[in-house]
Amino acid sequence: QVQLVESGGGLVQAGGSLRLSCAASGRTFSTYAMGWFRQAPGKEREFVATIGRSASSTYYADSVKGRFTISRDSAKNTAYLQMNSLKAEETAVYYCAAARRGMSTTERQDDYWGQGAQVTVSS
């Protein structure tokens, strides 16, 4: 089992940047693909980005390509989401997920989730 704690959320102006962190407990971090999802008020949770176990593979939602970067540091058991050129409509709670079965753009029942980090982008 793995526990995830997100940090780095906050308030930023449109066009600004934030970096989210997702710290994972345990010694099995490298066995999980990691992902970021977000849920805006009144909307369903949606996929943002994912990174493979070895960090050699990444995949992004079309809406964030070229602006967001997902990465991971196995030495720190931490995944990151660097978000640049943020838009007001990207205000949401951002969640990280650990996926034992590998990279995915969809949620699966056996994934582990953090508690979420609020990101508010003011226009």
Side-chain angles (χ1 to χ4, degrees):
Q1 190 171 358
V2 61
Q3 293 182 324
L4 305 172
V5 179
E6 298 99 334
S7 61
L11 174 64
V12 64
Q13 288 188 333
S17 298
L18 278 177
R19 188 177 79 156
L20 301 180
S21 299
C22 175
S25 66
R27 294 178 287 181
T28 60
F29 178 71
S30 61
T31 66
Y32 293 89
M34 300 297 295
W36 288 94
F37 291 72
R38 65 188 178 190
Q39 187 168 22
K43 295 186 177 181
E44 294 186 351
R45 190 154 58 183
E46 65 175 3
F47 166 77
V48 176
T50 184
I51 186 167
R53 297 179 181 91
S54 66
S56 61
S57 297
T58 59
Y59 187 77
Y60 298 90
D62 287 343
S63 59
V64 307
K65 280 180 183 176
R67 299 185 298 117
F68 288 16
T69 302
I70 188 171
S71 61
R72 65 189 296 162
D73 185 337
S74 292
K76 296 182 179 180
N77 279 9
T78 302
Y80 304 95
L81 184 68
Q82 176 67 43
M83 305 183 291
N84 299 328
S85 302
L86 281 160
K87 305 173 183 180
E89 56 265 36
E90 294 179 312
T91 293
V93 178
Y94 283 70
Y95 298 88
C96 72
R100 184 176 300 174
R101 289 193 276 163
M103 297 170 63
S104 177
T105 61
T106 60
E107 301 179 31
R108 292 173 294 197
Q109 285 190 337
D110 57 350
D111 292 342
Y112 295 99
W113 293 87
Q115 83 289 350
Q118 177 69 48
V119 171
T120 302
V121 185
S122 63
S123 56

